């Protein structure tokens, strides 16, 4: 019991801090959706850093991952990589240089950090959409971002850059609006998810929807399927890392830190390994800051993404690319295997496109795009 | 609805068939346990094929994996690899030659196929143990098997062989009873699980224990946390395969077969991938044939196994080995990585032991030990 109290005391302030919404919002009337139907109205939460020039073309658009938000940079804490998810890459003199560029990051539709998503009121009922929210895709996210940059007076993008689902968005930008940007940076993302990655996502979703507190998505805000969401996050955290780095960090050590409650609040069977405690902790943290229905919709958008969708072939889709493309794979990533990222670069080149492939020699798995700042900086500087 | 009915019709007969218990049982009074406490009485379900010779030393002991049973061979259907889990390797003239050897396979304690486990009556109450079953380890399983072979009149083992948790048992046999056998075959198993593999197991266990029908393990036989167990199995099935073979088999194909109900019986978000349907099907199949509490205890025994446990060092434990050791790794196995299996072989050799390492060049992942019959046969014939 002491361990439990201590845990709550240490974690809660952090949770509240992370759940803050930042920046501005832009609302527009209507967004037709790739899978049919539409969303209206649509609100996009966003942040910007730096100044837009008179010609409206000194712009870098940053796109975020599954549970991310618009807070890619925190000028008040530029040295703290925990205060904003791409903080070390953004700022004066950094690779995304806010002295030269107008840097934009918006929260994707379907999310719960200020943009329209399942927690938003459904205008037909005035109550949260829940599972009446329509199926959205990476292309829908990109189309909504396009409306935002038009609203901000942007005429041309110097670069679109993102990792993971953010990388899928960056690639989609290049294919959907080929003449609108000079450069595209796709990190730890591919043309489409593997069967294995879809499978992992679906296990997580089943865990959420099996939680009796999910109520088919109609839980009250602030409550909901916290056990299921924590289990989904535990699994996702394994796929974001690698066997190698988990062995370095945890191996078979017994629990080392304050005991976190397990999602199902269950008895232990022969002790607790440190890796289990870590995953409980990560599960609990996500529950405090993220909406379960948003998790379902955004992870599904990740599965459904296929850059060739709606075109006669993959080649046809990739031939649309006009910008310079930088594809960054991560040696130890098993969610978006480096070999698939490299394959995409070679495919684009074989079709006459300008694609560069760089591989991060990192043990951190998929999460390297949020950790290996030095390697990322070098890769981006060279581009 | 039609699809659902069709699914039930096709799958149910198979389920009943798989849930059969085979063979004989042996009951003894008392088994002290590695983690403390004891189990009494203890029943072991087992099967044998071939004939024990007068000197009691023409014996091969086969050890099974997590959800396996004693039915490693089915003489009535020797050509059907679905009727018994190592059928193609066992029989007259096969690598485990029943013309020459007395082959034994027993169901591990903690399981639900005839040996004492959480579904057995607790003698203190007359009701199923449930979670009052004690924590058991691989060493406890092996000690119980030792009692069984003594009972059968076995004086010496020509070989102990198993894959996955069966491989952990085979290794433990070599270390615990070093002068009792000539050869040990460890397939797709290592000296101890990785942090990543423990993590995957724990996600599955949390899914089971989060199911409101688990009732802290006190569900009625035949009911229970079917949703949680199906989700745990979905995840486990991913870890038993590989990215490569899932891509070959499923890639991003939409559902191809009869629609299986999903564990949480949930709405679909933008269609169903074939890999998802396959995993639902696998989840449902396990629920029909396996006990959820047994799954908790046996997966935990897998986590807790460390060959060095109770010895001053890993080297000390491995120096105890006196038999010839064959370690078989699988190129695409990420649950028990081939590099770790190879490392163990090298370690044993560096300590003066007789260890051979062979790697199966298979895309099937961990499950290759239940699939790649030709490669397994060649590896075993050479040993």
């Amino acid at each position: 019991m002491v361990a439990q109290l201590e845990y709550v005391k240490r974690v809660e302030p952090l949770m509240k801090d992370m759940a803050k919404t930042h920046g501005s919002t832009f609302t527009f009337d209507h967004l037709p959706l790739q899978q049919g139907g539409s969303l209206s109205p649509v609100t996009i939460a966003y942040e910007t850093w730096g100044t837009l020039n008179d010609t409206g073309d000194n712009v870098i658009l940053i796109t975020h991952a599954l549970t991310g938000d618009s807070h890619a940079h925190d000028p008040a804490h530029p040295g703290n990589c925990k205060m904003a998810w791409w903080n070390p890459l953004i700022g004066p003199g950094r690779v995304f240089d806010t002295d030269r560029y107008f840097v934009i990051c918006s929260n994707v539709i379907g999310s719960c950090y200020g943009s329209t998503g399942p927690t938003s009121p459904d205008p037909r009922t005035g109550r949260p959409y829940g599972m009446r929210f329509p199926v959205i895709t990476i292309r829908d996210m990109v189309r909504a971002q396009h409306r935002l940059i038009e609203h901000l007076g942007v005429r041309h993008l110097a670069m679109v850059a993102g990792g993971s689902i953010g990388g899928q968005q960056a690639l989609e930008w290049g294919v959907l609006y080929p003449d609108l940007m000079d450069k595209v940076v796709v990190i730890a993302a591919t043309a489409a998810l593997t069967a294995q990655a879809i499978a992992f996502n679906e296990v997580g979703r089943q865990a959420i929807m099996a939680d009796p507190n999910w109520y088919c998505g109609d839980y009250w805000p602030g409550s909901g399927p916290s056990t299921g969401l924590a289990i989904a996050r535990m699994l996702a955290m394994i796929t974001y890392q690698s066997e190698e780095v988990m062995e370095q960090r945890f191996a078979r050590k017994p629990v080392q830190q304050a005991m976190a409650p397990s999602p199902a609040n269950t008895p232990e069977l022969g002790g607790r390994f440190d890796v289990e405690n870590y995953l409980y902790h990560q599960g609990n943290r996500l529950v405090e800051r993220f909406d379960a229905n948003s998790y379902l919709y955004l992870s599904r958008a990740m599965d459904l993404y296929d850059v060739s969708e709606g075109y006669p072939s993959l080649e046809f889709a990739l031939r649309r690319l006009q910008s310079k493309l930088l594809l960054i794979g991560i040696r130890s990533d098993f969610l978006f295997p480096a070999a698939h990222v490299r394959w995409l670069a070679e495919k684009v080149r074989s079709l006459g496109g300008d694609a560069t492939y760089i591989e991060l020699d990192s043990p951190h798995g998929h999460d390297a795009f949020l950790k290996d700042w030095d390697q990322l900086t070098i890769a981006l500087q060279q581009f």
Side-chain angles (χ1 to χ4, degrees), chain A:
Chain A
M1 194 58 196
V2 171
Q4 194 102 341
L5 276 174
E6 188 194 344
Y7 177 83
V8 170
K9 214 168 76 189
R10 284 176 49 188
V11 172
E12 278 207 336
L14 179 66
M15 299 296 116
K16 295 207 177 89
D17 203 50
M18 292 184 72
K20 276 191 305 197
T21 319
H22 307 267
S24 316
T25 58
F26 160 60
T27 298
F28 59 98
D29 271 355
H30 185 79
L31 182 73
L33 299 171
Q34 189 181 2
Q35 297 252 331
S38 64
L39 202 58
S40 66
V42 184
T43 295
I44 305 287
Y46 68 95
E47 290 177 71
T48 65
W49 308 275
T51 308
L52 185 65
N53 63 12
D54 293 342
T55 44
D57 60 1
N58 68 330
V59 183
I60 293 175
L61 177 68
I62 302 288
T63 48
H64 72 71
L66 186 66
T67 66
D69 59 14
S70 63
H71 201 53
H73 177 49
D74 192 330
H77 307 89
N80 187 337
C81 66
K82 302 214 165 173
M83 296 303 286
W85 60 270
W86 256 7
N87 223 4
L89 302 182
I90 304 171
R94 293 184 178 166
V95 284
F96 303 123
D97 188 346
T98 51
D99 282 345
R100 296 175 55 205
Y101 293 100
F102 181 59
V103 179
I104 307 169
C105 184
S106 69
N107 185 222
V108 294
I109 54 167
S111 183
C112 53
Y113 289 121
S115 293
T116 301
T119 55
S120 306
D122 180 345
R124 293 167 300 189
T125 63
R127 298 190 337 199
Y129 277 105
M131 296 303 286
R132 291 166 296 279
F133 196 74
V135 172
I136 51 161
T137 65
I138 299 292
R139 189 166 298 167
D140 298 327
M141 294 173 190
V142 167
R143 283 199 171 119
Q145 287 159 359
H146 185 247
R147 293 294 301 271
L148 171 67
I149 66 158
E150 281 184 330
H151 161 75
L152 293 174
V154 173
R155 302 222 166 160
H156 193 79
L157 293 160
M159 187 185 284
V160 182
S164 193
I165 302 193
Q168 293 180 322
Q169 292 164 57
L171 180 62
E172 184 60 24
W173 263 97
V175 172
L176 194 61
Y177 303 110
D179 52 2
L180 217 57
M181 80 278 308
D182 298 327
K183 295 179 178 178
V184 168
V185 178
V186 176
I187 309 176
T190 56
L193 229 56
T194 62
Q196 188 189 61
I198 293 170
F200 280 129
N201 275 345
E202 180 59 10
V203 172
R205 283 189 296 264
Q206 286 293 318
I208 291 170
M209 296 188 287
D211 188 324
N213 290 321
W214 180 58
Y215 292 113
C216 299
D218 283 335
Y219 48 85
W220 290 97
S223 67
S226 54
T227 302
L229 180 59
I231 293 172
R233 180 64 167 184
M234 285 176 65
L235 175 55
M237 289 304 290
I238 306 172
T239 67
Y240 299 158
Q241 304 188 26
S242 70
E243 185 263 314
E244 182 182 350
V245 81
M246 291 182 94
E247 214 52 25
Q248 282 173 18
R249 181 164 174 189
F250 305 108
R252 298 176 57 78
K253 280 190 295 214
V255 57
Q256 307 279 310
Q257 306 145 3
M259 297 280 269
S262 70
N265 261 308
T266 51
E268 282 166 33
L269 285 167
R272 182 185 289 201
F273 289 100
D274 201 34
V275 67
E276 296 175 311
N277 198 59
Y278 163 80
L279 291 175
Y280 302 157
H281 176 74
Q282 292 296 332
N284 297 335
R285 280 181 66 169
L286 190 76
V287 166
E288 295 290 333
R289 74 173 179 88
F290 209 74
D291 174 61
N293 289 337
S294 279
Y295 195 92
L296 299 176
Y297 279 92
L298 297 188
S299 68
R300 195 53 168 176
M302 184 178 172
D303 296 352
L304 293 172
Y305 184 61
D306 180 343
V307 67
S308 70
E309 184 93 19
Y311 301 105
S313 68
L314 175 66
E315 289 74 15
F316 189 100
L318 295 179
R319 271 200 204 95
R320 289 173 54 88
L321 286 161
Q322 293 178 28
S323 56
K324 281 184 70 175
L325 185 64
L326 173 63
L327 286 148
I328 302 180
I330 299 158
R331 167 175 65 76
S332 53
D333 189 347
F334 72 104
L335 200 58
F336 289 94
H340 295 226
V341 186
R342 189 189 316 115
W343 179 90
L344 179 59
E346 285 161 8
K347 188 79 185 169
V348 170
R349 274 202 299 271
S350 76
L351 298 167
D354 181 348
T356 304
Y357 175 71
I358 291 182
E359 192 162 304
L360 303 191
D361 182 19
S362 168
H364 288 117
H366 187 62
D367 261 357
F369 85 95
L370 297 170
K371 283 182 178 165
D372 281 282
W373 306 118
D374 290 348
Q375 287 195 64
L376 283 165
T377 299
I378 292 167
L380 289 162
Q381 273 169 340
Q382 289 173 344
F383 183 53

